[in-house]
Amino acid sequence: MTAPQATTSAPRKRPAPKIREDLPAPNTPEGELFHYTPHEAAQWTPFSGRKLMEMIRLREIEYVFNGRDNYLTGRQIAALNEHFVVKPFSKPARAA
């Protein structure tokens, strides 16, 4: 008599997030109040959609919650980009 073999299943793959086509850019008047999913907003930020979702979960960034899903508005995307901009260093003028 042999021992029963353990069955292994393939790892479950999540479906790719759906990204709508023809999205307005966040810095345009139409995109300013448009609601983008984190994966849609990722194309205009230095972060991936997964990282944006994690930042939302940890409440590190502002977001819109509609009772079921999390979104970022164009204004929030612009503010996020502005927050992470590294400004060049300039030496202060020497007092004479």
Side-chain angles (χ1 to χ4, degrees):
M1 184 167 186
T2 61
Q5 295 293 322
T7 57
T8 58
S9 60
R12 193 177 110 190
K13 291 186 178 181
R14 293 184 179 199
K18 293 184 180 179
I19 297 178
R20 297 171 283 183
E21 294 180 15
D22 300 326
L23 295 172
N27 57 353
T28 62
E30 332 47 82
E32 200 170 282
L33 297 175
F34 189 85
H35 289 136
Y36 302 89
T37 66
H39 290 282
E40 291 169 345
Q43 62 183 325
W44 288 291
T45 65
F47 304 105
S48 67
R50 181 179 169 96
K51 178 64 177 176
L52 287 173
M53 288 181 2
E54 182 180 339
M55 292 169 80
I56 289 170
R57 182 180 60 82
L58 297 173
R59 295 185 171 43
E60 294 176 351
I61 58 174
E62 291 184 4
Y63 64 98
V64 176
F65 179 66
N66 72 351
R68 189 182 95 176
D69 298 317
N70 299 316
Y71 294 99
L72 295 164
T73 65
R75 286 183 188 168
Q76 291 168 332
I77 293 169
L80 178 67
N81 286 335
E82 185 64 30
H83 178 75
F84 285 97
V85 167
V86 178
K87 305 212 178 209
F89 175 75
S90 61
K91 288 186 174 182
R94 221 173 194 191

